[in-house]
Amino acid sequence: MRTTEQSVGQNERAHHKRRSVVLALVLATPLFLIACPKNSGPESPRGGMSARPQPEPSIPIPGAIAFNGERALDHVRKQLEFGPRPPGSPELAKTREYISNELKKLGLSVTSDEFRATTPQGDKNMANLTAEIPGESKDVIIIASHYDTKYYKNVTFVGANDPGTSVGTVLELARVLSATRQQQKPKFTYWFVFFDGEESICEDWNECGKPGAPDNTYGSRHYVAQLDARNERDRVRALILLDMMGHKDLQLSRDETSTKWLVDTIWQTARELGYGSQFVNQTQQVGGDDYDPFLHKGIESVDLIQFFPQWHRADDTLENVSARSMKIVGDVVLASLPRIEQHLLNKR
């Protein structure tokens, strides 16, 4: 990925109100109701010290479709079975087929946009995937992740968190929202997007980039170009990008490059759900991720991302990710969507 949190430094790239508000939000918007389980264990904040286990909120709403962290983790396991998954590889093609099949099982229409990208290793075949839930409006909210792993010549890199957990979380979000649409049609159309070619082909993020042609974000740059080609850019009202957000010691900082009102909305919702220790108030400046092409075109976007100790290392493996972390992020995104929708409706 790109630049790290401000508190970490410039590594590797130069590395009673709370519940009442939530209940009011949930009751007013049954499409995105969630139910949170009891706490599965103590938090381990950065630095290794144990913290007291804190109970997660319980919001038992009849008929709610809950985000299932274990189901999301199963998607991570399946990706790791394929091994390293860099762009153009047979392993990534298997991953793409798996993602597509899982989305089709939900009854969603899935499109694959195949393209050729010029990289430092020559031209490569890449493909972005999009699944759609139609809404009352044709205006679109995108929930996205990249699904390729970083290429290393001499390292077996399987990317459990980067990008395994974000792929698994987006798939589980698609399941929840596709099920709840039977109860109420969403106000906006939702696209679940999986970008190819996010990672740089060269080992360093900026090593082989050129002005106007970076060695990264191949899929998202192509995606935005296709939106322009189809005259659909104005349909996309917001992008929620997930990337490296399933670490077992979850601490997501507020990204200063992201659209501020989206960050504020999500972090406020997290606090009201009792997840203030996972959605922390420190800041970071990421940039260079798959939201860049969207921001450059004026599409409001937010990146949920945590730089973690195993980032771009061989030990980014299953034991360092958590079903609970994925559920926390999934619950927060789901509870934030009605507020995001309302903000966008107010801006029309």
Side-chain angles (χ1 to χ4, degrees), residues 59-231:
I59 310 175
I61 307 297
I65 307 298
F67 185 101
N68 188 319
E70 291 297 336
R71 186 190 296 265
L73 188 61
D74 284 342
H75 292 311
V76 179
R77 292 190 180 97
K78 186 61 180 182
Q79 293 170 77
L80 301 194
E81 289 178 7
F82 297 133
R85 307 172 299 282
S89 67
E91 292 76 15
L92 191 61
K94 293 177 183 178
T95 305
R96 182 163 56 248
E97 182 179 15
Y98 172 78
I99 293 170
S100 180
N101 287 340
E102 290 300 303
L103 294 166
K104 289 176 181 178
K105 288 177 186 177
L106 303 175
L108 304 183
S109 61
V110 182
T111 58
S112 177
D113 179 14
E114 300 179 3
F115 61 99
R116 293 275 287 176
T118 300
T119 80
Q121 292 181 350
D123 287 355
K124 288 184 177 292
N125 293 322
M126 298 188 186
N128 296 323
L129 291 177
T130 302
E132 178 178 285
I133 294 179
E136 294 176 2
S137 168
K138 290 186 178 181
D139 285 357
V140 173
I141 295 174
I142 293 177
I143 302 176
S145 166
H146 76 93
Y147 70 102
D148 61 304
T149 58
K150 179 153 180 57
Y151 168 78
Y152 284 107
K153 184 177 181 180
N154 298 313
V155 175
T156 301
F157 180 75
V158 294
N161 196 27
D162 184 16
T165 59
S166 56
V167 170
T169 300
V170 174
L171 283 171
E172 178 62 5
L173 287 169
R175 182 190 71 85
V176 174
L177 293 178
S178 66
T180 54
R181 68 174 168 164
Q182 304 302 322
Q183 302 172 10
Q184 180 176 326
K185 195 172 187 179
K187 296 183 185 303
F188 285 78
T189 293
Y190 279 84
W191 289 349
F192 303 92
V193 178
F194 300 84
F195 297 119
D196 201 345
E198 185 267 357
E199 298 286 6
S200 60
I201 302 299
C202 291
E203 185 162 331
D204 185 79
W205 186 253
N206 295 314
E207 179 183 349
C208 297
K210 299 177 181 178
D215 173 32
N216 49 60
T217 62
Y218 293 97
S220 54
R221 287 186 285 122
H222 175 80
Y223 201 94
V224 170
Q226 291 300 106
L227 288 176
D228 280 337
R230 298 193 305 266
N231 294 317

Side-chain angles (χ1 to χ4, degrees), residues 204-325:
D204 185 79
W205 186 253
N206 295 314
E207 179 183 349
C208 297
K210 299 177 181 178
D215 173 32
N216 49 60
T217 62
Y218 293 97
S220 54
R221 287 186 285 122
H222 175 80
Y223 201 94
V224 170
Q226 291 300 106
L227 288 176
D228 280 337
R230 298 193 305 266
N231 294 317
E232 288 189 320
R233 191 212 312 171
D234 290 343
R235 287 185 62 192
V236 180
R237 302 291 303 281
L239 165 72
I240 302 170
L241 178 65
L242 277 57
D243 193 358
M244 309 194 304
M245 35 49 60
H247 194 262
K248 62 183 180 180
D249 297 327
L250 181 64
Q251 282 194 329
L252 295 168
S253 297
R254 298 167 62 100
D255 171 43
E256 293 183 327
T257 306
S258 296
T259 302
K260 186 177 185 301
W261 74 263
L262 281 168
V263 176
D264 290 344
T265 299
I266 292 170
W267 260 251
Q268 178 183 345
T269 303
R271 287 195 304 273
E272 292 172 1
L273 289 174
Y275 297 136
S277 60
Q278 289 85 24
F279 284 73
V280 299
N281 275 328
Q282 73 182 41
T283 60
Q284 63 182 355
Q285 194 164 26
V286 181
D289 206 347
D290 276 325
Y291 64 163
D292 264 13
F294 291 83
L295 288 170
H296 291 161
K297 293 293 187 177
I299 297 171
E300 297 177 311
S301 306
V302 61
D303 194 2
L304 304 184
I305 182 171
Q306 174 187 352
F307 293 91
F308 60 107
Q310 297 81 25
W311 175 44
H312 284 178
R313 294 185 353 192
D315 56 347
D316 180 8
T317 48
L318 196 66
E319 64 269 18
N320 290 310
V321 301
S322 162
R324 180 172 181 268
S325 295

